[in-house]
Amino acid sequence: MAILWIMVLVLVVTLLALAVLLKGVLGAARSITPVVTAIDGVAAAASRDLDAVIALVTTQNYISQVVAGLANYGGSLDAALPDA
Amino acid sequence: MELPVAIILLLITLIVLALAVFLIATIVELGKINAGLASVLDGVGEIATKTAPVNGVLDAINGTLVAGRNLLEGLALKKAGPDAAGLVESCFPGEGQRFLARIGRSGTIVPFGEDYPRGAAILGSLLGGPAPPSPGEAQAAAAAAPAAPRSGRISLRKPSPAAVAPPTVPGRLSAKGSRPWE
């Protein structure tokens, strides 16, 4: 009979320990969900912000034109100004 | 059935129930996390796709700008000679030493401040004034002159008298008048 009561005691302790541990796991899992949702929002916003990146191609084109104009201007200066 | 046996059975049932409830709840949360991460992955994929050409475009822009800078520095070196580093330093404070390093030279850099007398003299000579001083003379004059306020750009706001005077050659173009086409 005594061993049965010991088993009862062990099972009670086991139940409490399991409850605490599983509650911790569930709490950790629940805390991840809002973080993932927030990251999702940030990623979507960052993706929207990057829509303007395509304008870099236009910038590249403009810079090429500016440098080409600069080269022409430099050629004129080279012809107009005396060398050192 | 004895009381301890009944309690044991009850406790085992409770343990199984607790395991089931908590594990099912955890599975549900992990499912939500999985769905959220899938959505994040889509966003990150979009970001990666949109930023993929940035490196190439920026490299091309940098290459073009470096070519333009080299061209202007070469022109400055050809036209201003030893004054070139001082001119670069006057336009972009701190850049003169790097300019010298790029062209493989060393020496003291004398910034000209806002006015470059030789440049003004060249402008004057183009308009019929006396010949400009040599680059070395201009640098020596700049070194001997009191420090002028540096605003980081070169201006020729004080043209030489030759530049202000009417041109000696009739019909020659001038910034101050004698516009033959009018």
Side-chain angles (χ1 to χ4, degrees), chain B residues 87-93 112-116 149-157:
Chain B
L87 286 175
V88 172
E89 180 70 20
S90 299
C91 292
F92 307 102
F112 288 93
E114 287 195 354
D115 298 313
Y116 179 44
R150 290 168 54 185
S151 64
R153 60 181 296 224
I154 293 176
S155 70
L156 299 176
R157 290 177 301 169

Side-chain angles (χ1 to χ4, degrees), chain A:
Chain A
M1 182 62 80
I3 196 158
L4 287 178
W5 285 111
I6 292 173
M7 278 186 69
V8 168
L9 190 63
V10 168
L11 282 176
V12 167
V13 171
T14 305
L15 179 61
L16 291 176
L18 263 180
V20 170
L21 291 175
L22 289 175
K23 194 177 177 187
V25 171
L26 183 60
R30 281 185 174 154
S31 69
I32 294 173
T33 309
V35 175
V36 171
T37 307
I39 292 174
D40 186 26
V42 171
S47 179
R48 278 194 303 274
D49 289 345
L50 286 173
D51 284 344
V53 165
I54 195 66
L56 268 181
V57 177
T58 311
T59 306
Q60 180 188 9
N61 186 27
Y62 285 155
I63 287 178
S64 296
Q65 292 178 27
V66 167
V67 172
L70 200 63
N72 291 332
Y73 182 63
S76 301
L77 281 180
D78 190 23
L81 298 178
D83 289 348

Side-chain angles (χ1 to χ4, degrees), chain B residues 113-163:
Chain B
E114 287 195 354
D115 298 313
Y116 179 44
R118 183 169 177 268
I122 289 174
L123 183 62
S125 73
L126 290 175
L127 298 173
S134 68
E137 291 173 5
Q139 197 172 28
R150 290 168 54 185
S151 64
R153 60 181 296 224
I154 293 176
S155 70
L156 299 176
R157 290 177 301 169
K158 300 173 187 172
S160 65

Side-chain angles (χ1 to χ4, degrees), chain B residues 56-142:
Chain B
V57 171
L58 288 184
D59 284 347
I61 289 175
N62 272 342
T64 308
L65 290 177
V66 166
R69 182 199 67 190
N70 290 342
L71 183 135
L72 287 180
E73 287 183 350
L75 184 65
L77 193 61
K78 182 179 179 186
K79 299 302 176 185
D83 293 346
L87 286 175
V88 172
E89 180 70 20
S90 299
C91 292
F92 307 102
E95 195 63 25
Q97 201 64 46
R98 293 193 199 102
F99 168 71
L100 281 183
R102 279 194 293 270
I103 62 174
R105 294 186 185 178
S106 61
T108 306
I109 299 171
V110 183
F112 288 93
E114 287 195 354
D115 298 313
Y116 179 44
R118 183 169 177 268
I122 289 174
L123 183 62
S125 73
L126 290 175
L127 298 173
S134 68
E137 291 173 5
Q139 197 172 28

